[in-house]
Each structure stands twice: as structure tokens, then as C-alpha cells.
Amino acid sequence: MIRSRLSAARSWPVLERVGCWTPLARVFPRPGRLLPQHASPRLLSVSCADCTKHQEPPRKKLLSEKKLKRHFVDHRRVLVRGGRGGDGVSCFHSEPRKEFGGPDGGDGGYGGHVILRVDRQVKSLSSVLSQYQGFDGGAGGRKNCFGRSGAVLYIQVPVGTLVKEGNEVLADLSHPGDEFIAALGGAGGKGNRFFLANSNRAPTTCTPGQPGQERVLFLELKTVAHAGLVGFPNAGKSSLLRAISNARPTVASYPFTTLNPHVGVVHCEDHQQIAVADIPGIVRGAHRNRGLGLAFLRHIERCPFLLFVLDLSVPEPWTQLDDLKYELEQYREGLSERPHAVVANKVDLPQARAQLPQLQARLGREAIALSAATGENLEGLLLHLKELHDDHVAAELERGRQPLRW
């Protein structure tokens, strides 16, 4: 008896690609119901994971933080279209014992807007696509029902995004939470209820929904920070930013320059936070778009005060300050006259320390001599940075403007 039961169990057909081995008799319908003769066994063996795989809409693969830094984008051309409005409906009321109910076609819903919103977590324009289409509105319905309006499509952009249309500046998104309507949604169509009048008691006219607004916008990112580190390549700006903040720009023992701006936050004792931006190195002729050129000069434009970082180990380091100010002034008049401090870096090297007295005499002002590699005299830089920040906050409050806070 036991052997016959085991042989019968072995002869049962089973389903594959399921979480457990299940006899086929368990999935047969109840008596009185028949399966289709040509039913495919694949339909019975499709797992839930396969169903959800086909149901999910395709999405753009998100980039990691490392790849976002590698693919830093500070300008983008975007085509935005608002959602189309829903169509109006032409219909008449139908009810027993009410022969002439009249028109009751509802209006279509409005198309969805496309809005640019500032997100503090977004650091680059690399996640912004080249084209966006707003959500369409729904059509009207019977009984004078309005159609559903299209949802708003938000595009997340970083702080400091400038929105242009041609040569005209439309918006300056420089604070977290700022929004700008990039494209308006279309108006919904009118149903035949809208055209009811004493002269026309049974209108059959209805209008379609209007298309949304279509615009070509140019997004330009200008890094927003309190202080900007300005200097020639290999002056030690990235090492200095690593020493005074938690930012981790790439540094090495061989000569190279930073290609993407990095922003670090310096925490003060009174719970204030000062944002310091590491701008890629300037070369002579940058205002004529040599080297990185205008790609990084636009990031300095947003900094209310500057830190000129000089390499004290090169011959005649005082000439660097004149060259840096000249490049800034040629890019934008008055940019070099902003409140600033001069930082003499690499004072730990013997040849650099020997040139420090001559640098002080040439500048006619005291330069902050420090070493980003060893941490020497970083406290003096932080105290001077705090003074520049306090002066900037006081000046903004006198003008009736709210200063930037991190």
C-alpha cells in the first residue's frame, strides 16, 4: 500500500518556476469548470516577480554621488511643454420621465504645469533631462462633471540656478525652496453645457483642450557660497578646503587642478555655518575663455567675499595676486574689489617661509600665512573668515535683504 502511494505521488505532474513544488491537482478548477483546451502552461507558471517587472514603467537609472561629481554639469538646454487640457464633452441629460433634460456635458481639466524647484540635495544639472512633457488633463463627463486636472511636474534643480530664455533672465533660483513655472498647462475645453443660452436650448458644440505652453530654456548653474577660494592651479585650495571643512575634494602629491567646484561648510562656535567654495584654478587669459575660462568664473560671481590663495613656494608670489585680480576685473567690472583676504599657503616649506616678509612688504597689508598640509595657523584664517561673514550679514540686513544661510 505504501509503495503504491509513493508511485502515485511520483507520477503527479508539478509546476516549475514557482516558489515551492505544488501538485497540479491543487491548481485545477472546481468541478463544473473547465480550463481552455489550448491554455499555455506559461500562463500558469508566471511568478509575481515577473508580473511586477512588466507592470513597472521604465525609469532613468539614477547616478551615484561619485558619478554625479564626475559628470558635473553647470549648463543645460531644456525643452519644456505644459500638459494639454482635457476635451469638453457634448451630451444631454437622460432620465426617466424627463424627456428634455438639457445639455450636461462637462468641461475638460486643465493641463499640468512644469515647475522648476530648488532642492538642496541636488548639486549639479546632470540629472536634468533635455525635454519634459507635462501631464494632460482629463476629458469632461456627463452630469456636468469637470475633467481631472493634470498633476504638476516638478524638476529638481540645485541652488544657484539661473533660468534664461534667449538673452533674457527669467528667474534666479538662489534659495532652497524657490520655484519657477517653466511652462503653463493648457486650458480645458468647454462642454456643451457652457454654450447653453436662451436662443440655443440644445447646443451640441464642445471645444477641445488647449495645448500647453512650450518653451526652450537655458539653465545655468552658479555656485552659491559665502566665500570663494580663488587661485592658480596647485595653489593648495582643495587641501585648504579639506582642512577647514568636511568637504573632500581630490588632492594628490603631483600637480593637477580641480575640474568641478566643491562647497564645504565651516561650523562656527555660535552655530553659524559659512559656505566656502573651491573654484577650479584660474590661468592667465581666463577671461578670454582660456583653460576652463568662463566655466568657473561664473561660480565666483555669486560669492560675496573672496579668499585669494597664493602659492608662497613659487618665485615672486606677489605677482599672483595682481594676475588674479586682473582676470576677475576683465570678466566682470568690480568683481576684484569685493571684500577679500589674502592667504599665503605652503608656509611649511623653507623657501616659502623665506619669502613671507617680502610678500608682506609688497602687498602693504598682512597676509594670512598658513599651511593647509600641516594645519599651521588655520585658526587665524577661521577668525578672519568669521569677520568677513559678519560684515556681509550686517550689510545685507542694512539693505533689507535676508542673507544666505546654510
Side-chain angles (χ1 to χ4, degrees):
M1 178 67 69
I2 297 177
R3 182 176 301 175
S4 62
R5 290 181 179 178
L6 290 176
S7 60
R10 291 176 183 175
S11 61
W12 286 349
V14 293
L15 290 177
E16 298 181 358
R17 298 180 60 191
V18 195
C20 59
W21 295 82
T22 309
L24 186 59
R26 296 184 180 179
V27 297
F28 279 167
R30 292 178 297 177
R33 296 186 180 181
L34 298 178
L35 284 174
Q37 295 181 358
H38 302 285
S40 174
R42 180 176 176 84
L43 297 178
L44 296 176
S45 61
V46 174
S47 62
C48 296
D50 295 336
C51 297
T52 55
K53 180 179 179 181
H54 293 288
Q55 290 176 0
E56 292 181 355
R59 298 180 181 177
K60 182 182 177 182
K61 185 178 180 181
L62 299 178
L63 296 177
S64 61
E65 185 67 22
K66 183 177 181 180
K67 290 185 178 180
L68 284 176
K69 291 180 180 179
R70 185 183 307 169
H71 301 87
F72 182 84
V73 178
D74 57 359
H75 60 278
R76 180 75 80 183
R77 177 184 180 273
V78 184
L79 173 63
V80 289
R81 296 190 186 95
R84 184 182 182 86
D87 298 334
V89 174
S90 177
C91 58
F92 292 87
H93 185 70
S94 177
E95 187 178 351
R97 296 182 300 275
K98 196 171 184 180
E99 183 177 359
F100 302 102
D104 66 347
D107 301 339
Y110 289 93
H113 303 326
V114 180
I115 298 180
L116 301 176
R117 174 188 287 178
V118 175
D119 188 357
R120 189 187 294 272
Q121 303 300 325
V122 180
K123 305 301 181 183
S124 169
L125 294 175
S126 57
S127 59
V128 178
L129 304 179
S130 60
Q131 183 174 341
Y132 287 93
Q133 172 66 50
F135 297 99
D136 297 339
R142 291 180 171 274
K143 299 181 181 179
N144 201 25
C145 292
F146 289 84
R148 176 184 53 84
S149 296
V152 178
L153 177 61
Y154 289 98
I155 305 175
Q156 308 296 336
V157 295
V159 181
T161 301
L162 205 64
V163 185
K164 296 182 178 179
E165 187 175 16
N167 296 326
E168 181 184 0
V169 178
L170 301 180
D172 185 3
L173 308 177
S174 57
H175 294 85
D178 288 350
E179 295 183 355
F180 172 73
I181 302 179
L184 295 172
K190 300 298 182 181
N192 62 339
R193 173 75 179 183
F194 178 81
F195 299 96
L196 179 63
N198 292 331
S199 58
N200 188 4
R201 304 301 298 176
T204 58
T205 305
C206 61
T207 59
Q210 299 297 319
Q213 186 181 14
E214 179 176 340
R215 307 170 80 175
V216 177
L217 301 178
F218 295 90
L219 305 183
E220 180 180 329
L221 175 60
K222 294 185 177 181
T223 302
V224 177
H226 295 112
L229 298 177
V230 184
F232 285 102
N234 305 310
K237 301 183 299 298
S238 299
S239 301
L240 183 59
L241 185 64
R242 291 171 66 98
I244 63 177
S245 68
N246 290 330
R248 290 296 175 264
T250 304
V251 296
S253 57
Y254 52 86
F256 76 100
T257 184
T258 304
L259 298 179
N260 304 324
H262 295 269
V263 178
V265 178
V266 179
H267 299 272
C268 302
E269 295 181 354
D270 51 354
H271 305 286
Q272 290 187 356
Q273 296 179 347
I274 305 175
V276 181
D278 174 21
I279 309 299
I282 297 178
V283 298
R284 291 177 176 86
H287 66 278
R288 293 192 293 267
N289 210 18
R290 287 188 56 190
L292 295 179
L294 305 179
F296 65 86
L297 284 173
R298 66 167 62 98
H299 299 290
I300 306 176
E301 189 177 353
R302 290 296 183 91
C303 301
F305 50 92
L306 306 175
L307 297 177
F308 290 100
V309 183
L310 307 182
D311 187 356
L312 203 56
S313 63
V314 300
E316 299 182 354
W318 49 87
T319 60
Q320 299 181 21
L321 182 60
D322 297 333
D323 295 337
L324 292 174
K325 288 186 176 182
Y326 175 76
E327 295 297 333
L328 296 182
E329 196 67 24
Q330 292 298 318
Y331 172 72
R332 183 179 177 182
E333 186 178 356
L335 187 58
S336 62
E337 299 177 359
R338 291 186 178 181
H340 63 273
V342 180
V343 179
N345 194 16
K346 303 182 182 181
V347 75
D348 56 312
L349 302 178
Q351 66 274 18
R353 189 176 294 274
Q355 296 187 108
L356 182 59
Q358 192 175 2
L359 174 65
Q360 302 280 15
R362 292 272 185 168
L363 296 180
R365 54 181 298 182
E366 183 178 357
I368 305 174
L370 54 84
S371 173
T374 62
E376 181 180 352
N377 198 26
L378 288 180
E379 294 81 1
L381 173 62
L382 295 178
L383 291 176
H384 202 89
L385 187 64
K386 181 67 168 53
E387 294 178 1
L388 291 174
H389 179 261
D390 293 341
D391 295 341
H392 165 66
V393 171
E396 290 294 307
L397 294 177
E398 288 181 0
R399 298 172 185 172
R401 295 184 299 188
Q402 189 68 21
L404 175 66
R405 297 185 181 276
W406 281 77

